[in-house]
Amino acid sequence: MREGVSGACGGRRRTCRNHWEGGCEVSGTKTFLLELHCEEIPARFLEPLADELADKVEDALESWIPTGDSANYGIKIQKFYSPRKLAWRAQGLPIAQPDQTDTQVGPPQRMCVGEDGKPTLQGLKFAEKWGVDFSAVRFEQPAGKKEPCAVVTLMKRGRPTVDLLAEALPGLIAGLHVPKAMRWGSSEFEFVRPIRNILCLFGDQVVPITVDGVRATNTTWGHRLYHREHPAPVAIATPEAYESALEAAGVVVSVEARRTRIAQQLEALAAEVEGRVVADAELLDTLAEIVEFPKIVRGEFPADFLELPKEVLVTSLREHQKSFCIEGPDGALLPFFLTAANRTDDPAGFVKAGNEWVLKARLYDAHFFFAEDRKHSIETRVSSLEQLVFQREIGSYLEKSLRISDLARKLSLKVGLDPDKAASAGRLCKFDLRSLMVNEFPELQGIMGGEYLRLAGAPTEVWKAVKEHYRPIGPEDSIPDSDLGCLISLADKSDTVIGCLKNGMYPTGSKDPLALRRFTLGVIRIIWEKNWNIDFKSLISIAYSLVPMKGNVFAIIPPIPQEEGAPLSKPRWFDGPIEAIEAFFKDRVAYQLEVAGYAGSVRRSALAAGWEDLADLKARCEALSAFAEDPRFASLAQSAKRIGNILKDEIASGDFDRGLLTQAEEKVLAERLGKLETTADRKALLEALADLAEPLEAFFAAVMVKCEDPALRAARLSLLHRLRQAFLRVADFSLWQ
């Protein structure tokens, strides 16, 4: 029953497919099925609810079956959900709990039996306590006892699983976490939607449960259209017949099966018009969750609408109609769309005609917005940004766009881009926020700005940069394709993060309403993937100087956990906002190293030696990773710690007279020092450092650093100081372990 414990078939919990393919039949087991048939449940609640109850049921089963016996059953829970159903099925449940024996040890034999061989009062009391006759008491010497004692073995009969389920399920269902729980009528029961029917079977036996006044039966309900001709409920003979019985009644209960069918139908219908579906995994998941029986319908729209930008059409169809677009081999859209009907067919064509009618109206709206936006000049839109507030403490979007322009110009010199184009793209990147199209479709911000600039004849680099500067939107999104797009994105996100932090709007715990962590990771990813030589302290300093500050808002800033929801440690004190902002960025850089897959020892030691130059940090991590398994570095780490402890309270200069060093062990270090300081290649430097492990051990074994002679003491401290500086060119090896 526990994660990773094999069942009788060798399958593992939640991973063994054979359980659902007729294998792994264990005698004395049955299949359990629970279905809650409700009013339509919002799609975003379906999977979390299904997952939660599956976990609760599984935990309950583990508590009923002893760990030693659970491996004999190979129990696995399968989840189903559709707009009106939440269901769970578990195969291989034992008919009853295993019988258990319990041995109880009582007083010594001499206290339980008198000289006449008859039981004493104490012996009778012991038997009475455990509910047995004194004749069931035996006398033996248990382990750890010095004499024979009274012993009784009790047999506890295992309870029938159906009784255990009947007791537990109502509480498990009532305990589900529903983000927006409601009550209906006079009921006090809170749930996501009213429960209309409960199907609950253990084999062919109904489990007698009642939830919110609804009693469990062996029947359920299919598609509404099916019951127009078949008014009776659908009888489910056994849990194994559940899916087939419901499909005959017009409901495909498996979301995976619905998703697969939708994908297959989409591709087939698109191929009929010599096109392919514009991929949208999120929309595919949505359609699979909002229909009970997927039937994809292809519709058409007037070809005149193809004059609109592709992104406008794709977004309009996705957001308003939950429809897919079809594109030709050249990537241009075709005048067709694909949408899902929640029924088995569309004999009269009403679904197709209705979607076409609504879609045409939506596209007319989009066409109107597009035409109206083009009547206004770009500069008019830019000027109107003054009326749109970015943040009350930081100013309007016009002020923000001017800051982005200034920051982009200054950063362009560091990455070899045209400063004039960088400044122009930065100033223009937000003007589409005042357009009708973005007001209707906020997800098109940036995209529409790029399109309008392209139509207005702006330089290609500029309109492309504006079009893609919001990327990356999340951890799965890619950075902008163009260098200038990356630069504008970096400037925009840096301005937001540093401006908000400068004015005290820092995230706490798991709360990050301004998405500052996400924006910071976007900045880091751009510099990381472009391998740009942009120093974070310089970036923070420039952006900080451009943002207004409303009063002195920083006193204490709690550390920001690297993972959302992580507990806060003790607050950290900072000298001012700059230091706090640098700490915020450093935390996110550490997270980036973890995401990149570097070992903990590599991350800690490399980060401690400097994090501001991301390109340099990345190169050092790569070099260190090549030596991560070298055992010499464990010894080097111990020596590095020792050097740090020795130098902690000392003032050591970099200069020393090598002639003062007389012992062989310190002369070896002095000779190696020159090579370390002149080696530029990191790999060669790390090899030289690894070779230093043994001489350092010998040095500390033979040499007293803090000796009586002041001149010799100073020379030895300076030698260690220089060695430490050589180490820190790559990493702080005291943190290697």
Side-chain angles (χ1 to χ4, degrees):
M1 290 295 295
R2 301 193 183 280
E3 199 71 52
V5 176
S6 298
C9 66
R12 294 183 181 271
R13 189 179 76 167
R14 295 182 183 168
T15 59
C16 177
R17 300 288 182 186
N18 293 333
H19 290 301
W20 307 107
E21 297 172 358
C24 190
E25 294 185 3
V26 181
S27 61
T29 66
K30 290 184 178 181
T31 301
F32 162 68
L33 173 67
L34 170 66
E35 180 207 81
L36 304 179
H37 179 84
C38 310
E39 297 293 341
E40 272 81 359
I41 301 172
R44 66 185 183 277
F45 296 151
L46 289 169
E47 186 174 10
L49 286 171
D51 288 343
E52 184 180 357
L53 189 59
D55 290 339
K56 287 178 178 290
V57 171
E58 202 160 23
D59 290 342
L61 294 175
E62 287 189 352
S63 68
W64 297 340
I65 303 175
T67 303
D69 297 327
S70 61
N72 295 326
Y73 300 103
I75 296 171
K76 174 183 181 292
I77 293 182
Q78 188 178 32
K79 299 164 289 189
F80 306 92
Y81 54 87
S82 65
R84 296 186 298 151
K85 295 182 183 294
L86 291 164
W88 302 264
R89 182 171 65 188
Q91 188 175 13
L93 269 65
I95 294 174
Q97 286 180 301
D99 294 339
Q100 299 180 47
T101 58
D102 186 19
T103 300
Q104 298 293 333
V105 178
Q109 181 177 358
R110 55 184 169 77
M111 300 176 64
C112 295
V113 180
E115 294 180 358
D116 56 1
K118 295 181 180 181
T120 64
L121 179 61
Q122 191 168 357
L124 293 172
K125 288 289 186 182
F126 172 72
E128 181 184 353
K129 175 182 178 181
W130 298 109
V132 298
D133 188 79
F134 187 79
S135 61
V137 178
R138 65 184 188 276
F139 297 97
E140 56 188 48
Q141 186 171 342
K145 298 291 185 178
K146 297 181 178 179
E147 58 182 307
C149 297
V151 177
V152 63
T153 299
L154 306 174
M155 175 67 72
K156 183 179 180 182
R157 294 291 180 184
R159 295 185 62 193
T161 300
V162 69
D163 293 346
L164 295 168
L165 289 169
E167 286 183 7
L169 288 175
L172 296 182
I173 295 170
L176 289 174
H177 172 69
V178 180
K180 294 186 178 180
M182 304 179 188
R183 295 195 300 264
W184 289 267
S186 59
S187 173
E188 293 298 317
F189 183 78
E190 293 186 348
F191 201 57
V192 61
R193 290 294 185 270
I195 298 175
R196 299 306 188 197
N197 187 83
I198 298 176
L199 166 67
C200 195
L201 295 175
F202 186 59
D204 57 359
Q205 179 183 3
V206 175
V207 181
I209 65 171
T210 300
V211 179
D212 194 24
V214 181
R215 296 180 60 186
T217 66
N218 65 343
T219 62
T220 185
W221 296 91
H223 198 285
R224 287 191 175 96
L225 295 180
Y226 171 83
H227 288 293
R228 289 183 181 180
E229 299 180 3
H230 308 83
V234 179
I236 306 296
T238 64
E240 290 79 6
Y242 177 62
E243 294 159 270
S244 58
L246 271 177
E247 179 152 3
V251 176
V252 178
V253 289
S254 168
V255 67
E256 291 83 6
R258 295 197 301 273
R259 186 185 295 110
T260 299
R261 295 189 189 190
I262 290 172
Q264 291 171 346
Q265 294 178 44
L266 288 171
E267 293 298 333
L269 289 174
E272 289 179 4
V273 293
E274 299 181 352
R276 60 174 180 261
V277 178
V278 177
D280 191 331
E282 185 177 347
L283 179 56
L284 178 61
D285 290 341
T286 299
L287 291 182
E289 291 174 341
I290 65 176
V291 297
E292 290 182 315
F293 197 103
K295 170 67 176 178
I296 301 301
V297 176
R298 185 180 65 235
E300 302 179 34
F301 58 84
D304 293 346
F305 289 123
L306 294 176
E307 297 174 0
L308 290 169
K310 181 178 181 178
E311 292 87 355
V312 172
L313 289 169
V314 171
T315 302
S316 181
L317 267 66
R318 181 183 67 238
E319 297 301 318
H320 290 312
Q321 294 301 111
K322 298 293 185 288
S323 299
F324 284 88
C325 287
I326 301 177
E327 62 185 8
D330 60 352
L333 292 184
L334 302 177
F336 302 99
F337 67 93
L338 299 166
T339 192
N342 188 26
R343 55 183 297 163
T344 58
D345 56 11
D346 184 22
F350 290 143
V351 174
K352 175 178 180 293
N355 275 277
E356 288 178 342
W357 183 80
V358 174
L359 181 62
K360 190 182 297 183
R362 294 292 189 184
L363 292 182
Y364 273 122
D365 287 344
H367 192 276
F368 171 77
F369 295 146
F370 187 66
E372 286 297 306
D373 284 341
R374 295 192 63 193
K375 292 179 181 179
H376 301 274
S377 69
I378 303 295
E379 290 302 324
T380 300
R381 295 293 191 196
V382 172
S383 299
S384 66
L385 288 174
E386 189 174 6
Q387 303 166 20
L388 188 63
V389 175
F390 168 59
Q391 285 289 338
R392 185 177 58 185
E393 293 82 0
I394 306 176
S396 68
Y397 268 97
L398 177 59
E399 293 170 300
K400 177 176 177 60
S401 62
L402 294 176
R403 290 196 303 272
I404 295 172
S405 176
D406 198 355
L407 181 56
R409 177 186 287 277
K410 292 177 179 178
L411 293 178
S412 66
L413 301 174
K414 296 179 177 292
V415 295
L417 296 179
D418 187 325
D420 292 332
K421 289 180 178 178
S424 177
R427 191 177 71 87
L428 298 171
C429 68
K430 301 297 180 183
F431 81 90
D432 63 348
L433 295 177
R434 300 293 291 168
S435 67
L436 296 174
M437 189 67 78
V438 171
N439 186 59
E440 179 70 11
F441 301 110
E443 57 273 19
L444 289 178
Q445 55 189 327
I447 294 173
M448 293 313 303
E451 285 296 317
Y452 292 144
L453 285 169
R454 180 181 66 83
L455 294 171
T460 302
E461 299 96 318
V462 172
W463 69 257
K464 282 186 175 180
V466 171
K467 189 171 185 176
E468 60 189 11
H469 83 277
Y470 282 95
R471 291 163 46 191
I473 296 174
E476 304 301 322
D477 193 19
S478 60
I479 66 173
D481 297 325
S482 68
D483 288 346
L484 189 56
C486 286
L487 182 66
I488 302 304
S489 176
L490 187 152
D492 179 24
K493 291 175 172 59
S494 298
D495 176 79
T496 297
V497 173
I498 295 168
C500 290
L501 293 179
K502 181 177 180 178
N503 285 277
M505 293 175 280
Y506 52 88
T508 56
S510 62
K511 297 179 180 179
D512 189 7
L514 302 176
L516 300 185
R517 292 190 186 98
R518 175 162 58 86
F519 288 149
T520 305
L521 284 174
V523 171
I524 292 169
R525 278 189 57 201
I526 289 172
I527 298 176
W528 181 274
E529 294 182 29
K530 299 301 293 184
N531 213 35
W532 277 346
N533 187 25
I534 294 179
D535 181 88
F536 273 111
K537 287 198 173 184
S538 175
L539 170 64
I540 292 169
S541 177
I542 296 171
Y544 185 89
S545 67
L546 299 174
V547 181
M549 181 175 181
K550 191 174 183 179
N552 185 13
V553 295
F554 274 103
I556 298 179
I557 302 174
I560 310 302
Q562 292 185 7
E563 296 182 3
E564 293 189 2
L568 291 173
S569 56
K570 293 182 179 179
R572 290 181 292 189
W573 290 86
F574 296 105
D575 294 334
I578 286 283
E579 185 186 350
I581 294 170
E582 289 176 355
F584 185 85
F585 271 81
K586 183 179 179 180
D587 285 342
R588 309 262 59 78
V589 169
Y591 179 74
Q592 176 63 32
L593 295 182
E594 184 178 353
V595 170
Y598 295 115
S601 56
V602 171
R603 299 197 308 267
R604 289 189 300 271
S605 57
L607 199 66
W611 63 275
E612 298 87 352
D613 187 339
L614 204 54
D616 176 69
L617 176 61
K618 183 179 180 181
R620 286 188 284 116
C621 285
E622 290 292 333
L624 285 166
S625 296
F627 289 86
E629 303 301 324
D630 193 322
R632 292 176 295 177
F633 279 93
S635 173
L636 196 66
Q638 293 299 323
S639 296
K641 288 181 181 179
R642 195 164 182 178
I643 291 173
N645 291 333
I646 292 173
L647 296 177
K648 183 167 56 177
D649 299 321
E650 299 287 344
I651 299 177
S653 66
D655 299 325
F656 64 94
D657 184 357
R658 298 195 181 196
L660 295 173
L661 304 177
T662 57
Q663 293 187 227
E665 292 82 3
E666 58 189 355
K667 287 183 176 181
V668 170
L669 289 185
E671 291 173 3
R672 298 281 186 95
L673 177 62
K675 180 180 178 181
L676 292 176
E677 292 179 332
T678 57
T679 301
D681 180 72
R682 287 190 177 85
K683 186 175 181 180
L685 176 59
L686 282 170
E687 186 64 47
L689 288 172
D691 288 339
L692 202 64
E694 188 175 338
L696 272 171
E697 288 184 7
F699 172 83
F700 285 119
V703 176
M704 174 67 69
V705 177
K706 296 184 179 181
C707 60
E708 297 285 339
D709 185 341
L712 182 57
R713 172 190 177 114
R716 288 171 175 172
L717 288 173
S718 295
L719 171 63
L720 294 182
H721 173 72
R722 294 265 293 273
L723 284 172
R724 187 184 187 192
Q725 294 305 116
F727 291 172
L728 290 176
R729 290 174 55 199
V730 182
D732 184 349
F733 288 100
S734 65
L735 302 175
W736 184 255
Q737 293 179 334

